[in-house]
Amino acid sequence: MESTQGRPARLRVGVIGPGRVGSVLAQALGRAGHEVVAAAAVSERSRGYVEERLPGTRIMDPAEVVAASDLVLLTVPDDALADVAEGLAGTDTDLRGTILVHASGAHGYGVLAPATVVGALPLALHPAMTFTGRDEDIERLPDCAFGVTAPDQLRPIAEALVVEMGAEPVWIAEDKRTLYHAALAGGANHLVTLVAESAGLLESAGVPEPGRLLAPMLSASLDNALRLGIHGLSGPVLRGDSGTVAGHIEQLRENAPESVASYVELARLTADRAITAGMLKPEDAERLLDVLRR
């Protein structure tokens, strides 16, 4: 891979913030043939990731990492990205031609503007995957997609880096980056909350191992949703069973009042989508929505 700057195919890689994500991305780039040369690690945990996953990598301060590298992973918290970019741009380090890669889903390449102004090449490469900090993270990476955002002239480099890591690049426009991240966070994070909520309610109903009961049903539901969208829906809302839904709400009020609001709002959203898709008869929808307004 060559950049528009005529770089050699193999790059010297540095990491600023080698935590769960940064250490795995650096490890993946190393497996692809690049050389991981330096890391800026503050916490003991980050230093541990460097020692375990990136053996032989030197620990340096951020400016030294940039000076030693052709490509720098800025895998710091989302809210710190702009400050880190500005801080690097304010040092005497020459950023011209240095590829700066961040892995935030919420930001495009614009957050790196302070460094871009002084010659850095900005890329946003977000792995759409949950990182646990465990060894299997690196093995899961090839099964995921990356949300890729970059200036047009750098798009081939961004996509090639993702492919080298064994993953699939998916292009996200700069002005759609936050919407993209809201979709992923809403799906992944709220899914965990919903599963935990269901498991807790089953325990309250006397089910000793909720996971065994939930796993086949939820796995099938997820598969249906991914393949069929809203047409993979089943259950009382789709059937317009307003009496069943009313019974659910009554029992939740008695046994788990904190769960009523979320149940009602999600049932309304489900009903709205089913109505729009023509899956719920108008007369059934009217009775159901009346129950959900009470």
Side-chain angles (χ1 to χ4, degrees):
M1 177 186 65
E2 292 188 0
S3 78
T4 56
Q5 305 300 310
R7 289 188 177 279
R10 299 300 90 185
L11 302 171
R12 295 172 300 156
V13 176
V15 195
I16 297 176
R20 290 184 180 186
V21 179
S23 61
V24 170
L25 296 185
Q27 190 178 11
L29 289 170
R31 287 187 176 187
H34 301 290
E35 182 185 7
V36 184
V37 297
V42 176
S43 70
E44 286 300 317
R45 178 172 292 182
S46 291
R47 288 175 177 266
Y49 283 135
V50 172
E51 183 178 342
E52 293 170 14
R53 297 175 174 175
L54 310 170
T57 300
R58 292 171 292 169
I59 301 294
M60 301 178 171
D61 66 39
E64 290 174 325
V65 170
V66 173
S69 306
D70 302 310
L71 181 153
V72 178
L73 295 168
L74 299 181
T75 42
V76 298
D78 289 2
D79 291 346
L81 265 175
D83 289 341
V84 171
E86 187 172 357
L88 291 174
T91 68
D92 294 330
T93 304
D94 187 0
L95 286 168
R96 289 175 298 177
T98 300
I99 301 171
L100 293 186
V101 178
H102 77 69
S104 167
H107 295 289
Y109 62 85
V111 72
L112 302 178
T116 304
V117 168
V118 294
L121 308 177
L123 308 179
L125 306 181
H126 174 248
M129 175 179 127
T130 298
F131 290 81
T132 64
R134 299 167 64 91
D135 292 340
E136 59 262 29
D137 287 345
I138 185 66
E139 308 306 331
R140 289 175 175 169
L141 201 63
D143 292 327
C144 84
F146 276 62
V148 175
T149 306
D152 287 344
Q153 66 272 26
L154 300 179
R155 179 169 176 170
I157 296 174
E159 294 179 340
L161 286 168
V162 172
V163 170
E164 282 192 331
M165 288 186 278
E168 177 187 357
V170 177
W171 185 254
I172 309 296
E174 176 78 4
D175 64 351
K176 298 297 184 183
R177 193 77 181 191
T178 302
L179 179 61
Y180 151 82
H181 192 244
L184 291 180
N189 302 157
H190 298 164
L191 178 62
V192 173
T193 302
L194 285 171
V195 173
E197 175 87 347
S198 294
L201 291 172
L202 286 172
E203 287 178 345
S204 297
V207 176
E209 296 182 57
R212 292 183 63 185
L213 195 64
L214 286 171
M217 185 176 188
L218 297 187
S219 296
S221 294
L222 178 59
D223 179 65
N224 289 340
L226 292 174
R227 290 187 300 106
L228 306 172
I230 193 62
H231 292 281
L233 183 66
S234 63
V237 171
L238 175 64
R239 295 191 298 268
D241 289 339
S242 55
T244 298
V245 172
H248 290 173
I249 295 171
E250 180 182 354
Q251 282 297 303
L252 289 174
R253 284 188 177 131
E254 291 181 12
N255 297 282
E258 70 283 357
S259 300
V260 172
S262 60
Y263 179 95
V264 169
E265 288 303 318
L266 285 170
R268 284 175 178 161
L269 180 59
T270 302
D272 287 345
R273 289 189 174 276
I275 292 167
T276 300
M279 300 166 64
L280 186 56
K281 295 178 182 177
E283 59 271 23
D284 292 336
E286 185 177 352
R287 288 193 297 270
L288 180 65
L289 293 175
D290 182 58
V291 167
L292 295 172
R293 281 192 289 265
R294 295 175 189 171

